Amino acid sequence: MSENYLHEKENNLNKLYLLALIFLIAFGFYKNGILVFKEFSDNYVMLFKPLLFPLISIIISCFFEYIFNKKIRISDNIIFMILLSMIIPVNTNLLIFLSLNIIFSFISYFVFDKINLRLNYVALFKLILILVFLVINKYNYANSLELIKKYSYDLLDIFIGRGISGVASSSILFSILGYFILCLNKYYKNEIPLISFSAYFLLVLIFKILFNHVIVLNSMIIFALIFIAPINNFSPAIKKERVIYSIVLGILTFICTYFINMYDGVIIAVMISSGINYINIK
């Protein structure tokens, strides 16, 4: 199979990623921008802030894409940075995100691509952002409406997307729609979300039966398992290895979500799983 053919198929998958993410970005703008603006603010920066994060990622990534490749295309790195912009807290300072985005993009193009590092960039950069948020004491996902408990957070709320999550990762409904869109391309590893979530959900059921403790499902888990964990560059190519990777990911997601952090436990799990895969490749 020619290299040009593979690049064409990869680019088609990136276009599907972009299509799938548009629905989530639009809902994130509605939930974290329009609704909050109507209730609390006349500040138009706050209104458009949920759109500014992915827009910043796109502009900076396109700049580096042109510098690095002398042309602009929907590359992997552009998709990675858009994904990162969607899973950060809406309360993130725009200048901090802009600065770190430039640094992350530079590292992606001029360091990681050069040394062919196969760790999951999205998860790695998100964990770095978390450390920054903790240092400046700004680690909080809830928007203004969520802080006053405007929503009931029942199953329907969470499924539609009213639960606490990142800038544009709160809707399980649109994440599932995105999954079916990505499945249109055969190079999307569609078994990874299914197997990993099944392993996670099985452990949740066992935990409920043994300890009568309910673990609330959150949209970040669904988003990460569908869009971040299966990224071709950072997950196994062989089908049997993908099954093992998915089971390990599901188990780690359960452990990290329950014992470390409800929202970012899955990001830690993705990072560890991609690290195990990278060591296996090496």
Side-chain angles (χ1 to χ4, degrees):
M1 187 177 292
S2 71
E3 185 176 344
N4 288 336
Y5 179 77
L6 285 173
H7 280 308
E8 180 184 351
K9 290 300 181 182
E10 179 184 279
N11 197 250
N12 286 339
L13 180 56
N14 286 342
K15 289 176 182 176
L16 288 179
Y17 255 94
L18 201 56
L19 175 62
L21 297 178
I22 284 173
F23 294 99
L24 283 151
I25 291 171
F27 185 83
F29 173 52
Y30 169 73
K31 170 182 176 283
N32 292 310
I34 294 174
L35 292 182
V36 173
F37 177 80
K38 286 171 62 177
E39 187 79 19
F40 291 105
S41 179
D42 58 357
N43 186 336
Y44 283 91
V45 174
M46 297 303 297
L47 170 64
F48 292 105
K49 193 176 182 182
L51 292 180
L52 290 175
F53 289 116
L55 186 60
I56 287 171
S57 291
I58 292 170
I59 292 172
I60 293 174
S61 297
C62 286
F63 172 77
F64 278 99
E65 182 68 24
Y66 183 79
I67 295 295
F68 191 74
N69 294 313
K70 305 304 179 186
K71 62 180 180 180
I72 296 177
R73 61 189 177 89
I74 307 175
S75 66
D76 291 342
N77 284 324
I78 290 177
I79 297 299
F80 299 161
M81 299 313 293
I82 294 174
L83 287 170
L84 177 65
S85 73
M86 296 172 68
I87 58 175
I88 62 173
V90 71
N91 306 305
T92 300
N93 182 281
L94 283 169
L95 289 178
I96 291 176
F97 180 73
L98 173 63
S99 303
L100 290 175
N101 201 300
I102 292 172
I103 295 171
F104 292 158
S105 295
F106 179 86
I107 293 172
S108 297
Y109 280 96
F110 294 101
V111 180
F112 288 169
D113 282 359
K114 292 290 186 183
I115 64 176
N116 199 30
L117 184 65
R118 294 298 180 179
L119 291 175
N120 193 302
Y121 302 173
V122 183
L124 175 61
F125 292 154
K126 176 62 188 296
L127 293 179
I128 294 173
L129 276 170
I130 291 171
L131 291 177
V132 173
F133 297 152
L134 290 172
V135 168
I136 64 176
N137 197 27
K138 294 290 184 180
Y139 184 59
N140 181 14
Y141 278 95
N143 67 27
S144 301
L145 287 176
E146 291 158 347
L147 286 172
I148 64 171
K149 299 180 180 179
K150 185 76 173 181
Y151 307 123
S152 63
Y153 299 123
D154 58 21
L155 188 58
L156 182 60
D157 270 331
I158 294 171
F159 182 74
I160 292 173
R162 293 177 185 145
I164 298 173
S165 190
V167 170
S169 59
S170 65
S171 176
I172 294 177
L173 173 63
F174 285 122
S175 287
I176 293 173
L177 174 62
Y179 172 78
F180 287 113
I181 291 174
L182 293 177
C183 284
L184 296 174
N185 188 297
K186 68 177 182 179
Y187 288 93
Y188 174 66
K189 299 169 183 176
N190 56 62
E191 70 271 31
I192 290 178
L194 293 177
I195 297 173
S196 57
F197 182 76
S198 297
Y200 165 81
F201 191 68
L202 179 61
L203 288 173
V204 169
L205 288 178
I206 293 172
F207 204 76
K208 173 68 170 67
I209 293 170
L210 293 180
F211 303 104
N212 195 32
H213 188 93
V214 177
I215 299 176
V216 179
L217 177 66
N218 70 78
S219 58
M220 189 75 83
I221 292 174
I222 304 298
F223 183 91
L225 295 183
I226 289 174
F227 294 105
I228 301 175
I231 293 174
N232 284 336
N233 296 14
F234 314 128
S235 56
I238 301 172
K239 191 163 188 176
K240 288 183 180 179
E241 292 181 357
R242 291 205 295 267
V243 172
I244 297 171
Y245 168 87
S246 302
I247 294 172
V248 170
L249 174 60
I251 294 171
L252 288 173
T253 298
F254 173 81
I255 294 171
C256 294
T257 300
Y258 183 72
F259 292 102
I260 300 178
N261 186 275
M262 174 179 178
Y263 301 108
D264 287 312
V266 64
I267 303 299
I268 299 170
V270 170
M271 184 62 204
I272 296 173
S273 300
S274 76
I276 294 171
N277 178 59
Y278 177 67
I279 293 171
N280 183 53
I281 293 173
K282 297 292 282 188

